[in-house]
Amino acid sequence: MSVEAARAKFQSYLTQKGLRVTSQRLAIFDAAFAQKEHFTAEELLDHARAIDDSVSRATVYRTLPIMTESALLREVDIGKGEKFYFPSSGSTQVAQVVCVDCDKIFEISAPFMEWYGNTVSSKLGLRPVSQRLQVSAQCIAFHDRGACPNRTK
Amino acid sequence: MSVEAARAKFQSYLTQKGLRVTSQRLAIFDAAFAQKEHFTAEELLDHARAIDDSVSRATVYRTLPIMTESALLREVDIGKGEKFYFPSSGSTQVAQVVCVDCDKIFEISAPFMEWYGNTVSSKLGLRPVSQRLQVSAQCIAFHDRGACPNRTK
DNA sequence: ATATGTGCAAATCCTTTGCACGTGC
DNA sequence: GCACGTGCAAAGGATTTGCACATAT
């Protein structure tokens, strides 16, 4: 899905839910879809403010759930205290591989996940809503040399 | 592994790491292994205090990582703010199914997970450390009738 | 016009930490 | 004895919320 299509989807989602299309929400959308890596709420705030400096932290936190519910963003919680977000590719059959050294998040296709969620849930009398597979891994380069080539922090 | 064996393992783990076997740590261990469901740090504090009322919140939080590192407990983060813990069955090839209504956590065997982590990680030049699969699901009973039979909260 | 949305700052929630005292080894 | 462990209360960090003002529809 192109950024333009996603932006249109965002606006129609807002309208359809009786929510308003505000300049702040659009700035937050634009900032999110300009990112190339996973980002945090705080990073999104910085980028959104570069577009519209009236955007507040509160509005970012109030807008993120809207974008997540509308499937425009995927929320990734790697258990590091803060959550990460990423423009959704559409498919929910995606797993994350997280480097334990540099915390870089790789998104990978995991086509069997949906089947597995269905199988397992139905055994328990449950209906699957969503599933996530997360692999913690270590750069081989890190293991061999003690330094992670992706390290940025 | 029996509780007795686990308790022995805990004590030898402490000794081997140069850590001390204190009455508080043993009370926390006993409280943890008496649980039948997943529990939070706060719940563990309550139960540990019932055994030894000198146990403090700080010590619970300082002991949980030790029990997790020694593989006696498994930590489960379902993205609800607080973490859950559960006496480990040994295998790491376990997935969690979480009911979105009552937050009850079911542990299920997921024997393919290790293979999958290996396959995917190696493609990225990473060495898998751990993996977790979490399925969010809804009680069918809840979906049909609007009430979750497991609801306790 | 008016129901929503917003910024600000304070509040919350879980978890961590500094410090002085207590205690296994 | 002394290094490690502990309780207490304060600090910390991410996220949420109350309120008065602003604004989309």
Side-chain angles (χ1 to χ4, degrees), chain B residues 2-149:
Chain B
S2 68
V3 175
E4 296 72 35
R7 202 175 201 267
K9 183 180 171 187
F10 180 49
Q11 298 201 41
S12 49
Y13 181 84
L14 290 174
T15 302
Q16 155 198 333
K17 287 276 180 179
L19 302 172
R20 291 171 184 175
V21 178
T22 66
S23 61
Q24 290 91 342
R25 283 174 176 162
L26 290 177
I28 292 167
F29 172 92
D30 289 341
F33 274 72
Q35 300 311 303
K36 296 196 169 54
E37 302 279 341
H38 290 70
F39 53 86
T40 63
E42 199 64 25
E43 290 165 352
L44 182 57
L45 172 62
D46 289 343
H47 290 112
R49 278 187 163 156
I51 296 171
D52 177 344
D53 66 7
S54 78
V55 173
S56 71
R57 181 171 288 106
T59 297
V60 168
Y61 277 104
R62 288 189 273 235
T63 302
L64 281 169
I66 298 172
M67 296 184 73
T68 300
E69 283 155 27
S70 63
L72 287 165
L73 290 186
R74 186 184 1 269
E75 183 183 273
V76 182
D77 182 347
I78 62 171
K80 291 274 178 187
E82 57 191 353
K83 289 174 180 163
F84 291 82
Y85 297 86
F86 193 69
S88 174
S89 61
S91 169
T92 57
Q93 302 182 45
V94 176
Q96 286 86 39
V97 181
V98 182
C99 177
V100 297
D101 179 43
C102 69
D103 288 347
K104 184 177 174 71
I105 303 170
F106 302 87
E107 300 265 338
I108 54 174
S109 173
F112 69 89
M113 278 175 60
E114 188 164 3
W115 162 80
Y116 190 75
N118 289 344
T119 304
V120 145
S121 298
S122 60
K123 280 185 190 167
L124 295 169
L126 299 169
R127 176 191 308 270
V129 174
S130 66
Q131 45 235 304
R132 69 191 219 231
L133 173 62
Q134 184 193 306
V135 180
S136 292
Q138 195 177 43
C139 293
I140 289 175
F142 171 69
H143 183 266
D144 292 347
R145 285 177 247 126
C148 179

Side-chain angles (χ1 to χ4, degrees), chain A residues 55-96:
Chain A
V55 173
S56 70
R57 180 172 288 105
T59 297
V60 167
Y61 276 105
R62 287 190 273 234
T63 301
L64 281 169
I66 299 173
M67 296 184 72
T68 300
E69 282 156 26
S70 63
L72 288 165
L73 290 186
R74 187 185 358 270
E75 183 183 274
V76 181
D77 182 348
I78 62 171
K80 291 274 177 185
E82 58 192 353
K83 289 173 180 164
F84 291 83
Y85 297 87
F86 194 70
S88 174
S89 61
S91 169
T92 57
Q93 301 181 45
V94 177
Q96 286 85 39

Side-chain angles (χ1 to χ4, degrees), chain A residues 8-25:
Chain A
K9 184 180 171 187
F10 181 48
Q11 298 199 41
S12 50
Y13 181 85
L14 290 174
T15 303
Q16 156 198 333
K17 288 276 179 178
L19 303 172
R20 292 171 185 176
V21 179
T22 64
S23 60
Q24 291 89 344
R25 283 174 177 164

